[in-house]
Amino acid sequence: MIGSLNRFFGSLQSLVATADTMVADGGLPAKSDWSGFFDAWGSSKTSAGIAVTQESAMTSATVYACTQAIAETVGSLPGLVYESVDDRNRERAKRHRVYSLLHDSPNPLMNALTFYEMGTMRALNRGNFFAEIERNGRDEPIALWPIHPSRVKAWRMPGGELEYHVYTDQADRDNPEGFGYYVIPRRDMFNLPGFGSDGVIGRGVISFAMQEIGLDIATQRYGSTWFGNGARPGGLVKHPSYIDDDERRQIFRDDMNSLHGGMENWNKLGILWHGVEYQQLAVNAEEAQFLGTRELQAKTICRFYKVPPAMVQIYDEFKFGSVDAMLRTFTTMTIRPWAVRWESAIRQQLLHTLASNGELVPVFAEELSFEFLMNALLRGDAKTQAEANAILRNWGVMNADEWRAQENMNPIPGGVGEHYLVPSAHTTIDRMVSGDIGRNTGGAGVKGPEFNKAWIAALCKLAGDGAATHEDQPAAARIITDEYREKLEAAEAARLAAETAAREALSSRLEFITESLNEIATRLNRKEANEVMKIARKDSRQLFTALDDYYERFAGVFSNAVDRSCTAYLAAIADSGTTTDQVVAAWIAAHQSELLSAAECQPEQLLGRMTSVTDGWRDCTFTKWLDSHLHDGNLGEQ
């Protein structure tokens, strides 16, 4: 533990400037054979004249935003370890230490989000993420300590085995490279290689996109210089006489630059003496449009990272109606490959270990697996998540209690929520199975259409419905025995309990929606009242023309503000025939009608009557008004 801590803190100190991730091989490819490969990793200048390193690349806003979008998204995914219960079922392996290691805290100094975020960022940009595996006496991993990839070299030994040399800050005269190092065997090093990997060493996006990043940084610096010089090109100063003294010429030039150069001297008045004239050079159109170059470079860098431009705040040619499609593309094409890359590396290197014969063997007696919970990406969109869960619920994939658990709600009392729905009949599986109910009822079983009719009649009879026809009664009598009557009564009790729980949940949700809707509407009511009174005080002669113009704009503002809350409220009270647009139209029409009534007075009374009307708006509760109009049934007439 102490050794791992020292190594971890050592990796955070000054890095080896020339050491980069590489594979060397005694007797196989010589180090010189990799020279072209490492030139791409170093800090050689690009065609734009900019030296791009791993650190300088992150000063590009697009590189930073793309890296952040991918790394933070992967880091936010819950990592879960499962153990097999039998051939078909599995459960979360919470009793295993490796579960908390990968789900909560890989080491005492880091949480899981920071670990996966750092690992993804390094593998994405540098090509590899390395972490030393600390093990206990049973060979089980108990901690993962990240090591900066610039300090690591992978060496394939003459026997074919792989080991990692981790370089330190300490000088070592015995080492030709001048630095000390310690060796970590393959079994104790977690290695997440990025794209373009041979299984050991990957290449980061920065090495592939170096030319594009260099051009992006070059245009950024050009823009800084451009604005630093006042966004104007250089000019010429014509002096009526020749200044033959070099010192006097330099003084004159410095004076002109200090008085008129730079952003701080924009729009200042310039004064020229002794016949001096200023001649400005023409602006090159291409130079003045360098922002177009920056935009193009930003989009090109996004292609290297497979990140939609809108994810990094590039919104041109982007339609907000395509947000869901964009997020699905980002999740499927960008995040999922990284999630699978992590899952494969963890299963191979942490849930298995290298035996003495070179074979991978499971660390634990149970069969364990690791997965990221990709459903977590739906958390930000409640509507999408609810629709996905509804499909799973209706097709019998999940039950009500599993759904409630995702929403941090307790199970339905009495175990009712453990039942699964059968798609064909939308009933629970156990009740569908009891369709064999007529198989042995003291006589010949009732099956097929006759059974279904008898079953419906029996249900009607039990409920006192009277809908069962006379000819169905004999069949129903054979089915309704004491045993099955008890089953039906138990099912009815369970249904009532479920309805009670659902009503309680709906009541709680309705209370929240009502409060939210009233808060928004009250704020808008006050704003509307203030604006109406301003219009009334300004010009009473053009009052209604001005009000018509105002309400034409206000209708859209009000509709956008209450849309989500009003739609949720109408759904919660089971009103599917009314839309938010109808509600807003009725609300505004009611206010306009009140203003028209108030205007039927003498001019000197107008302000007083309109004040009385608008004061009433401030105290009005929106949902009470809406409920009364829905009850009267005149909302759709507006």
Side-chain angles (χ1 to χ4, degrees):
M1 175 70 173
I2 299 300
S4 297
L5 277 171
N6 290 334
R7 295 172 183 176
F8 177 70
F9 283 112
S11 69
L12 299 180
Q13 298 170 1
S14 60
L15 302 177
V16 181
T18 58
D20 237 321
T21 311
M22 61 182 70
V23 174
D25 194 336
L28 292 178
K31 192 181 300 183
S32 59
D33 294 338
W34 297 80
S35 57
F37 177 77
F38 297 118
D39 284 343
W41 280 74
S43 58
S44 58
K45 286 189 175 181
T46 62
S47 300
I50 301 296
V52 177
T53 65
Q54 301 290 331
E55 287 71 26
S56 67
M58 291 297 288
T59 64
S60 166
T62 310
V63 173
Y64 179 89
C66 289
T67 301
Q68 185 182 43
I70 297 173
E72 286 187 346
T73 304
V74 174
S76 67
L77 297 175
L80 303 176
V81 179
Y82 296 93
E83 62 177 323
S84 298
V85 177
D86 51 42
D87 292 340
R88 300 181 58 185
N89 299 303
R90 63 178 186 172
E91 62 183 19
R92 296 185 183 183
K94 294 185 177 181
R95 62 190 182 90
H96 284 280
R97 179 178 178 83
V98 71
Y99 183 92
S100 61
L101 181 75
L102 297 174
H103 182 268
D104 301 319
S105 177
N107 62 64
L109 303 180
M110 303 177 74
N111 56 40
L113 184 149
T114 306
F115 180 81
Y116 293 125
E117 183 181 79
M118 173 195 288
T120 303
M121 180 179 69
R122 288 182 175 176
L124 177 66
N125 283 339
R126 292 181 173 270
N128 285 83
F129 169 62
F130 295 104
E132 183 177 0
I133 305 172
E134 183 181 351
R135 300 181 184 273
N136 58 18
R138 295 188 297 275
D139 214 25
E140 299 171 346
I142 59 174
L144 296 169
W145 299 97
I147 303 174
H148 199 281
S150 67
R151 309 177 75 91
V152 179
K153 290 182 182 177
W155 291 83
R156 194 175 303 280
M157 306 310 290
E161 63 273 16
L162 191 69
E163 66 181 24
Y164 296 90
H165 291 191
V166 181
Y167 287 80
T168 67
D169 304 341
Q170 305 300 320
D172 186 355
R173 296 180 179 178
D174 296 331
N175 182 14
E177 298 184 359
F179 295 96
Y181 66 90
Y182 57 92
V183 177
I184 297 181
R186 175 190 172 190
R187 67 187 303 276
D188 291 332
M189 178 69 89
F190 177 78
N191 178 15
L192 177 69
F195 177 74
S197 171
D198 59 358
V200 179
I201 299 301
R203 287 190 63 181
V205 174
I206 292 176
S207 69
F208 288 107
M210 184 173 295
Q211 295 293 337
E212 302 296 337
I213 296 171
L215 183 54
D216 185 54
I217 296 175
T219 54
Q220 174 188 348
R221 295 182 183 177
Y222 177 82
S224 299
T225 305
W226 172 268
F227 285 103
N229 289 326
R232 295 180 177 90
L236 297 177
V237 176
K238 297 175 62 177
H239 198 280
S241 61
Y242 176 69
I243 303 176
D244 56 359
D245 188 330
D246 292 342
E247 184 176 353
R248 289 179 59 197
R249 284 200 302 269
Q250 187 61 44
I251 291 173
F252 180 77
R253 183 182 296 110
D254 293 342
D255 287 343
M256 293 297 295
N257 284 332
S258 63
L259 290 174
H260 305 292
M263 189 180 300
E264 67 277 5
N265 292 321
W266 279 12
N267 302 318
K268 283 187 177 180
L269 179 64
I271 301 176
L272 302 176
W273 296 276
H274 306 297
V276 174
E277 297 179 8
Y278 176 75
Q279 181 178 344
Q280 181 172 331
L281 298 181
V283 179
N284 185 300
E286 285 75 14
E287 291 179 350
Q289 295 180 6
F290 72 93
L291 288 178
T293 302
R294 293 207 64 190
E295 182 179 328
L296 176 62
Q297 290 308 115
K299 293 181 179 179
T300 304
I301 292 173
C302 286
R303 293 189 184 101
F304 278 97
Y305 282 94
K306 293 198 304 182
V307 172
M311 297 287 293
V312 293
Q313 292 79 52
I314 303 176
Y315 293 116
D316 59 318
E317 301 178 3
F318 174 73
K319 298 180 180 179
F320 282 90
S322 60
V323 170
D324 289 342
M326 179 193 69
L327 292 177
R328 283 196 300 271
T329 300
F330 179 66
T331 301
T332 304
M333 303 301 295
T334 306
I335 299 304
R336 176 167 172 74
W338 277 103
V340 174
R341 186 176 281 116
W342 270 102
E343 292 166 356
S344 300
I346 287 174
R347 282 195 292 267
Q348 182 185 41
Q349 302 174 50
L350 296 179
L351 304 184
H352 291 76
T353 188
L354 201 63
S356 57
N357 59 0
E359 295 181 358
L360 285 172
V361 296
V363 174
F364 304 92
E366 299 82 355
E367 184 178 347
L368 301 182
S369 61
F370 174 84
E371 288 183 13
F372 280 114
L373 188 61
M374 298 292 289
N375 292 347
L377 293 177
L378 297 175
R379 284 183 179 177
D381 187 348
K383 181 175 181 291
T384 302
Q385 184 173 358
E387 290 174 350
N389 285 346
I391 294 172
L392 297 177
R393 170 69 171 140
N394 292 336
W395 284 94
V397 178
M398 69 187 308
N399 59 39
D401 283 350
E402 290 169 339
W403 189 342
R404 292 171 66 87
Q406 288 187 11
E407 302 296 331
N408 293 322
M409 301 169 66
N410 292 328
I412 299 175
V416 179
E418 297 177 358
H419 298 294
Y420 293 86
L421 297 182
V422 177
S424 61
H426 280 266
T427 184
T428 57
I429 293 176
D430 53 341
R431 289 178 65 183
M432 178 64 74
V433 171
S434 67
D436 293 336
I437 193 170
R439 180 178 56 194
N440 184 13
T441 55
V446 183
K447 300 180 180 180
E450 182 183 2
F451 165 76
N452 292 333
K453 291 169 60 178
W455 177 251
I456 294 171
L459 289 175
C460 294
K461 181 179 180 181
L462 182 64
D465 193 331
T469 60
H470 178 74
E471 56 268 27
D472 287 333
Q473 296 305 317
R478 291 198 302 272
I479 294 176
I480 299 296
T481 62
D482 291 341
E483 177 184 358
Y484 296 111
R485 185 184 299 276
E486 291 176 1
K487 284 190 176 182
L488 291 172
E489 290 173 348
E492 179 65 12
R495 184 186 65 80
L496 292 175
E499 287 183 356
T500 301
R503 279 195 298 271
E504 292 175 354
L506 180 61
S507 175
S508 176
R509 178 171 175 79
L510 181 59
E511 181 180 353
F512 172 78
I513 295 173
T514 301
E515 181 180 351
S516 174
L517 180 57
N518 284 332
E519 180 182 351
I520 296 172
T522 299
R523 185 173 66 251
L524 291 172
N525 285 349
R526 292 171 181 170
K527 181 177 180 181
E528 178 189 3
N530 293 336
E531 293 297 325
V532 167
M533 291 308 300
K534 285 182 182 178
I535 295 172
R537 294 188 184 99
K538 187 175 181 180
D539 189 356
S540 60
R541 292 173 299 176
Q542 301 294 328
L543 174 63
F544 290 103
T545 301
L547 286 177
D548 287 342
D549 293 340
Y550 168 72
Y551 277 110
E552 185 175 351
R553 299 190 306 271
F554 183 69
V557 174
F558 194 94
S559 180
N560 290 335
V562 303
D563 183 34
R564 292 174 65 91
S565 297
C566 188
T567 301
Y569 182 81
L570 293 171
I573 63 176
D575 189 311
S576 59
T578 305
T579 65
T580 300
D581 290 339
Q582 290 176 323
V583 173
V584 173
W587 175 262
I588 291 179
H591 283 196
Q592 290 177 319
S593 176
E594 292 178 27
L595 292 175
L596 285 173
S597 299
E600 295 176 355
C601 63
Q602 297 299 321
E604 62 272 11
Q605 299 175 330
L606 179 62
L607 284 179
R609 298 191 63 175
M610 291 189 69
T611 301
S612 177
V613 169
T614 54
D615 286 344
W617 296 350
R618 302 175 196 273
D619 300 328
C620 177
T621 303
F622 185 78
T623 52
K624 289 183 178 179
W625 173 89
L626 178 57
D627 290 343
S628 66
H629 279 67
L630 290 173
H631 182 268
D632 295 340
N634 59 0
L635 196 61
E637 299 174 1
Q638 303 295 332

